[in-house]
Amino acid sequence: MAALAEVGSAGHFRELLQQKGKSLVVVHFWAPWAPQCIQMNDVMAELAKEHSQVTFVKLEAEAVPEVSEKYEISSVPTFLFFKNSQKIDRLDGAHAPELTKKVQRHASSSTISAGPNDNAKEDLNVRLKKLTNTAPCMVFIKGSPQEPRCGFSRQMVEILNKHNILFSSFDIFSDEEVRQGLKTYSNWPTYPQLYVAGELIGGLDIVKELEASGELDTICPKTHKLEDKLKVLTNKASVMLFMKGNKQMAKCGFSKQIIEILNSTGVDFETFDILEDEEVRQGLKTYSNWPTYPQLYVKGELVGGLDIVKELKENGELLSILKGDN
């Protein structure tokens, strides 16, 4: 098979991963409407010439949604790295130097079994440090807060929610390298794991003890601070759009469509890139009781997402709502 392939279905994607076995597979989740993706396709084509043992794959994210959803692709371009059908790394955004570095590192680890592993461990530790510091309070669980996939993870989420603790989460099932590496990094063999300011607090039993002693409320950040921040942000301009990307460069098809609609009205509006702030990205879903993006606000009040905005445009109501008449 050619070192540069294009995948058009979930079945084809699975077959390709199985065929390649221990070889490195680099998958570019892209969109034809995004110029940064076209640029990164050119970068990938050059890398394919240099690394004949690596398979590079183009996968149009919105054309194969079941694969994009499985791997939580929220923006383009995104690159995933696979070995033995398992995801081993990820790169979000159009970062050619970083892509080159990751390809070189993972390709070399395919052919060399000893020695360079120390560098790989060091790279993983850097990544784990970033992950544990993603938010002031980070919990590593099986599944998500909305759908925990084990009883201990469910109990952890329930305790944090009961105390109105602001937290972000990481699904350890989504990344085997993180799942195994974090056990060594933290010297803690089980999940869930709770971190505050990048420092390990402990697992479920420790959190239960902290709850019983009343210390949990003093250790973890509270939601009311985030609510104040979100209130300020949603009122930053008369018309505020929370989206993936910005006015100049949308990073998903839905955001691109809503920008086009708003531009057609001639009304001034400001945007906020949720990909730049994980705390806002997760917190706004609860604040607005609206689970997806983009989200449009007028004078601090939620109007809705893309479907609502399309309906308002079709009904002829959008302009008056944007001007605050309704």
Side-chain angles (χ1 to χ4, degrees):
M1 185 180 291
L4 192 56
E6 193 152 354
V7 163
S9 71
H12 186 194
F13 181 69
R14 284 193 298 271
E15 286 174 15
L16 188 143
L17 289 184
Q18 289 167 0
Q19 286 171 2
K20 290 301 165 185
K22 294 180 181 178
S23 300
L24 177 64
V25 179
V26 181
V27 184
H28 179 199
F29 289 82
W30 74 295
W33 48 260
Q36 63 270 37
C37 288
I38 308 299
Q39 176 192 348
M40 293 307 290
N41 276 338
D42 293 339
V43 172
M44 199 166 69
E46 289 302 313
L47 287 170
K49 294 175 186 176
E50 298 173 21
H51 301 276
S52 57
Q53 79 280 21
V54 178
T55 300
F56 294 87
V57 178
K58 287 166 57 180
L59 190 153
E60 190 176 333
E62 292 169 355
V64 194
E66 56 268 52
V67 176
S68 299
E69 289 168 11
K70 178 180 179 180
Y71 293 104
E72 297 181 340
I73 305 302
S74 59
S75 64
V76 292
T78 292
F79 292 86
L80 297 187
F81 300 75
F82 292 86
K83 283 181 186 174
N84 295 318
S85 296
Q86 295 295 316
K87 186 181 76 172
I88 59 168
D89 206 348
R90 178 182 183 123
L91 175 65
D92 293 279
H95 306 295
E98 186 66 18
L99 176 63
T100 302
K101 188 173 87 171
K102 284 180 178 287
V103 169
Q104 289 171 342
R105 175 162 65 86
H106 292 303
S108 65
S109 68
S110 295
T111 55
I112 302 171
S113 58
N117 285 345
D118 290 342
N119 289 333
K121 284 179 183 175
E122 184 180 343
D123 287 345
L124 177 59
N125 283 341
V126 170
R127 185 176 172 218
L128 293 173
K129 185 175 182 180
K130 285 182 182 176
L131 279 174
T132 54
N133 283 277
T134 299
C137 182
M138 273 296 292
V139 62
F140 291 79
I141 60 176
K142 295 176 179 177
S144 65
Q146 294 75 31
E147 293 184 8
R149 292 172 64 185
C150 81
F152 299 128
S153 294
R154 178 173 287 104
Q155 288 181 64
M156 175 74 86
V157 169
E158 286 172 353
I159 291 171
L160 296 178
N161 284 335
K162 182 171 72 175
H163 288 263
N164 294 317
I165 289 166
L166 167 66
F167 67 95
S168 291
S169 68
F170 185 92
D171 179 3
I172 57 162
F173 282 149
S174 71
D175 194 317
E176 188 63 22
E177 189 180 40
V178 170
R179 181 180 182 179
Q180 300 304 330
L182 196 60
K183 295 177 184 177
T184 305
Y185 177 85
S186 62
N187 195 26
W188 196 271
T190 58
Y191 291 99
Q193 293 182 16
L194 179 68
Y195 291 75
V196 172
E199 295 294 324
L200 175 69
I201 301 301
L204 180 61
D205 289 342
I206 299 291
V207 170
K208 282 182 174 178
E209 289 174 14
L210 292 170
E211 181 187 30
S213 68
E215 294 177 74
L216 187 63
D217 289 319
T218 62
I219 290 173
C220 297
K222 293 292 196 169
T223 11
H224 69 268
K225 292 179 183 175
L226 177 62
E227 286 175 3
D228 292 342
K229 180 180 178 181
L230 294 175
K231 188 173 182 180
V232 170
L233 280 174
T234 53
N235 285 277
K236 187 178 177 183
S238 180
V239 180
M240 274 296 296
L241 177 66
F242 292 80
M243 59 178 286
K244 294 174 182 176
N246 54 45
K247 284 184 186 180
Q248 291 73 36
M249 189 176 287
K251 292 186 177 177
C252 81
F254 300 130
S255 294
K256 183 173 183 285
Q257 288 180 62
I258 204 167
I259 284 284
E260 289 170 351
I261 293 171
L262 293 177
N263 283 337
S264 72
T265 66
V267 173
D268 288 334
F269 65 96
E270 295 293 327
T271 62
F272 184 92
D273 183 359
I274 57 161
L275 299 176
E276 296 295 322
D277 193 321
E278 187 65 19
E279 186 181 51
V280 170
R281 180 180 182 178
Q282 300 302 332
L284 196 60
K285 295 177 185 178
T286 305
Y287 178 84
S288 63
N289 195 26
W290 196 270
T292 58
Y293 290 98
Q295 293 183 17
L296 180 67
Y297 291 76
V298 173
K299 295 183 177 178
E301 295 294 323
L302 176 70
V303 175
L306 177 60
D307 289 340
I308 299 292
V309 170
K310 281 182 175 177
E311 286 176 19
L312 292 171
K313 184 187 177 186
E314 289 168 7
N315 296 340
E317 300 174 53
L318 181 59
L319 190 57
S320 64
I321 286 176
L322 293 177
K323 289 181 177 179
D325 296 340
N326 263 337

